[in-house]
Amino acid sequence: MEWYMILALIGTGLAAGFINTTAGGGSMLTLPLLMFLGLPANVANGTNRIAILLQNVIGVNTFRQKKVLNLKTDYKLAVPATAGSIIGALFAVELDPLLLKKIIAGLMVVMFLFVVAKPEIWVKERVGQTLAKPTSLQYIIFFFIGLYGGFIQLGVGFFLLAGLVLGCGQDLVKANALKVFIVLIYTVFSLGIFIVNKQANISAGLILAAGNMGGAWFGANFAVKGGAKYVRYVLLVALVIVILNLFGVFS
């Protein structure tokens, strides 16, 4: 691999790791780059998860050190998400990216408008409103979010944030930490499926991961220090970039 390819992977990974940890949508940067460097779409889809896995190891550890995460109680929603991701990954070999991009584009527009119209939902601290334990409906919702995440990672962070903030009453900083943890757990299983099916380039994934891990460390610290208000701004910017890219503005 040429030196400029390595620099491109690390640099893009740095930006993606930051975006993924503070909001979501970083894969909209890394997946196109992997394909631009010559990887088939299905291999790029698997390779990207190597970086996501290692990125989230750093993110989870940082959030734990900042006492935002408590793994003894915060693991419950990762269980249905992991079950869904296994099924989603098994279907990923039949991925039709064109139709899926149109669906995601529509959902991203709706979410962006919602965040703009109801910003207090994202930034208001909901101490005392968080449910003591997940409901059956929440398990079902996170199963389908995991199903999507296992199928294709693009934008899954936005769906997790919506589920955690609107469905579980978490403030955005806590929701970001939980999102990173949930993705870490289910990626272990979905990545394994891609590797078994020889749809992951290990060397490219590890180089990309070097950048993602650095971005995740900066992103987790930014999320904790900046608070929900500033994380929301990153979320809005990331949503705009994702929407424009999905509609082909950058192509």
Side-chain angles (χ1 to χ4, degrees):
M1 186 176 296
E2 300 291 338
W3 64 269
Y4 60 85
M5 294 182 179
I6 296 175
L7 289 180
L9 285 170
I10 294 176
T12 303
L14 187 66
F18 180 87
I19 293 172
N20 281 335
T21 308
T22 55
S27 292
M28 294 304 300
L29 301 176
T30 55
L31 272 177
L33 175 64
L34 289 168
M35 289 185 285
F36 177 78
L37 295 179
L39 295 182
N42 59 339
V43 177
N45 188 21
T47 302
N48 185 51
R49 295 165 195 269
I50 298 172
I52 289 171
L53 176 67
L54 297 178
Q55 152 204 297
N56 284 12
V57 169
I58 298 298
V60 166
N61 185 57
T62 303
F63 279 125
R64 283 188 63 196
Q65 291 177 350
K66 300 294 183 180
K67 302 187 184 304
V68 180
L69 271 177
N70 181 357
L71 302 187
K72 292 182 179 179
T73 58
D74 290 337
Y75 70 90
K76 297 178 181 178
L77 290 174
V79 175
T82 299
S85 74
I86 293 172
I87 298 174
L90 290 173
F91 281 102
V93 291
E94 303 295 333
L95 178 64
D96 180 1
L98 295 180
L99 176 59
L100 193 57
K101 278 189 176 182
K102 293 179 181 179
I103 295 173
I104 297 171
L107 290 173
M108 292 300 103
V109 171
V110 171
M111 182 171 284
F112 176 78
L113 294 175
F114 186 80
V115 173
V116 171
K118 300 287 186 180
E120 70 278 3
I121 292 178
W122 295 96
V123 300
K124 181 181 179 182
E125 296 289 338
R126 295 189 171 192
V127 177
Q129 296 185 29
T130 301
L131 299 177
K133 60 180 180 179
T135 64
S136 298
L137 178 59
Q138 288 172 10
Y139 279 123
I140 294 172
I141 291 172
F142 279 84
F143 170 82
F144 282 104
I145 293 175
L147 183 73
Y148 172 79
F151 189 58
I152 184 167
Q153 186 71 22
L154 296 174
V156 70
F158 297 133
F159 300 127
L160 284 169
L161 285 176
L164 290 165
V165 174
L166 306 180
C168 303
Q170 299 286 357
D171 68 83
L172 196 51
V173 174
K174 175 68 172 181
N176 263 296
L178 284 171
K179 176 204 72 179
V180 171
F181 173 66
I182 291 171
V183 174
L184 170 63
I185 298 302
Y186 81 61
T187 300
V188 172
F189 295 89
S190 60
L191 174 60
I193 292 172
F194 281 97
I195 291 176
V196 168
N197 286 274
K198 299 180 180 179
Q199 293 187 11
N201 185 309
I202 303 299
S203 59
L206 291 175
I207 294 171
L208 180 64
N212 276 62
M213 291 166 73
W217 184 86
F218 284 111
N221 281 282
F222 173 83
V224 173
K225 293 180 180 179
K229 177 181 178 181
Y230 298 103
V231 174
R232 174 178 169 267
Y233 295 147
V234 178
L235 174 63
L236 289 172
V237 172
L239 276 169
V240 171
I241 294 173
V242 169
I243 291 168
L244 292 176
N245 188 58
L246 286 169
F247 280 111
V249 174
F250 302 128
S251 62

